[in-house]
């Protein structure tokens, strides 16, 4: 983080947003999430420390390319804002479920874990759409070479897919156990 000040990061991200012409606000936060898009407030936010850390997971990629690509991805979510808005009711159901039940309870109940699996699937669909939108933006702006873009995209998507696959395996096992139990 020493070489990348918060001001440097802000300017880099903001210049990428400006290049797209999308009317999106930018804020710094301290959530532990490298970058995110809040569709309710139409704001892209970044956690400077986590952004630098996340970029470090792909050391072969220049830092500014990583930041620009992730910014394009968050803007890809902004382009998909109508679909995100439409998902709000169901998203709140997921939040309510996690507030009402502990992780242990969720992973012992097939109906609750099924909701978590459904949320994973919805999130992966939103991530894939955001990446497709980001790719379209990048094709127009030519900010990042295609190979670098693909490496960052695949790395980012893998975190969602790996978490989904882990929970899906537990869900399938739980369903098998439930089916084997006498009524």
């Amino acid at each position: 983080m020493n070489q990348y000040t918060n001001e440097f990061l802000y300017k880099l991200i903001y210049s990428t947003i400006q290049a797209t012409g999308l009317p999106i606000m930018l804020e710094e936060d301290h959530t532990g999430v490298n970058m995110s898009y809040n569709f309710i407030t139409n704001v892209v936010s970044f956690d400077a420390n986590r952004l630098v850390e996340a970029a470090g997971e792909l050391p072969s990629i220049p830092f500014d390319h990583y930041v620009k690509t992730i910014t394009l991805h968050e803007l890809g979510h902004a382009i998909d804002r109508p679909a995100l808005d439409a998902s709000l009711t169901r998203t709140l159901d997921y939040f309510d479920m996690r507030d009402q039940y502990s992780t242990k309870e969720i992973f012992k109940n097939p109906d609750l874990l099924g909701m978590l699996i459904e949320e994973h699937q919805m999130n992966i669909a939103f991530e894939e759409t955001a990446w497709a939108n980001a790719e379209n933006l990048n094709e127009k702006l030519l900010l990042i070479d295609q190979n670098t873009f693909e490496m960052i995209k695949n790395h980012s998507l893998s975190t969602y897919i790996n978490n989904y696959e882990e929970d899906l395996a537990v869900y399938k096992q739980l369903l098998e156990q439930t089916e084997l139990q006498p009524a």
Side-chain angles (χ1 to χ4, degrees):
M1 181 69 184
N2 298 345
Q3 61 187 351
Y4 304 113
T5 65
N6 295 20
E7 181 181 354
F8 170 82
L9 289 171
Y10 188 96
K11 286 179 180 178
L12 180 59
I13 296 165
Y14 192 70
S15 69
T16 306
I17 293 171
Q18 283 185 310
T20 68
L22 293 171
I24 308 294
M25 299 295 294
L26 176 62
E27 295 177 355
E28 184 177 357
D29 65 29
H30 305 284
T31 61
V33 176
N34 61 357
M35 289 186 79
S36 64
Y37 172 69
N38 183 322
F39 67 92
I40 296 169
T41 59
N42 199 33
V43 171
V44 167
S45 61
F46 71 100
D47 182 317
N49 291 328
R50 178 59 188 132
L51 188 55
V52 171
E53 182 182 314
E57 294 170 10
L58 295 169
S60 65
I61 294 176
F63 180 77
D64 65 320
H65 291 199
Y66 179 84
V67 172
K68 287 178 183 180
T69 304
I70 294 298
T71 302
L72 289 174
H73 168 70
E74 296 308 331
L75 296 174
H77 283 299
I79 293 168
D80 196 30
R81 190 174 185 196
L84 293 166
D85 285 338
S87 75
L88 182 58
T89 301
R90 192 62 180 151
T91 298
L92 292 174
D93 290 341
Y94 301 135
F95 281 112
D96 289 344
M97 182 265 295
R98 282 196 303 278
D99 280 345
Q100 292 176 14
Y101 300 96
S102 69
T103 301
K104 187 175 181 180
E105 290 172 308
I106 292 169
F107 277 80
K108 287 186 176 195
N109 182 316
D111 294 330
L112 298 177
L113 189 51
M115 281 182 72
L116 192 65
I117 297 302
E118 180 184 297
E119 181 184 29
H120 277 303
Q121 292 167 338
M122 181 181 76
N123 288 337
I124 290 169
F126 283 133
E127 288 299 308
E128 289 173 340
T129 299
W131 279 111
N133 291 339
E135 189 166 5
N136 289 336
L137 287 172
N138 191 49
E139 286 173 3
K140 291 176 187 170
L141 300 170
L142 302 173
L143 295 176
I144 307 299
D145 70 88
Q146 190 60 34
N147 288 337
T148 299
F149 184 93
E150 284 296 316
M151 286 176 59
I152 296 168
K153 172 184 138 184
N154 292 337
H155 180 264
S156 177
L157 277 174
S158 72
T159 60
Y160 288 89
I161 292 168
N162 291 342
N163 288 337
Y164 166 69
E165 289 174 349
E166 288 172 14
D167 288 350
L168 183 61
V170 173
Y171 178 65
K172 287 178 178 179
Q173 186 177 20
L174 182 60
L175 286 178
E176 287 175 15
Q177 291 172 355
T178 305
E179 290 173 1
L180 295 176
Q181 293 178 355

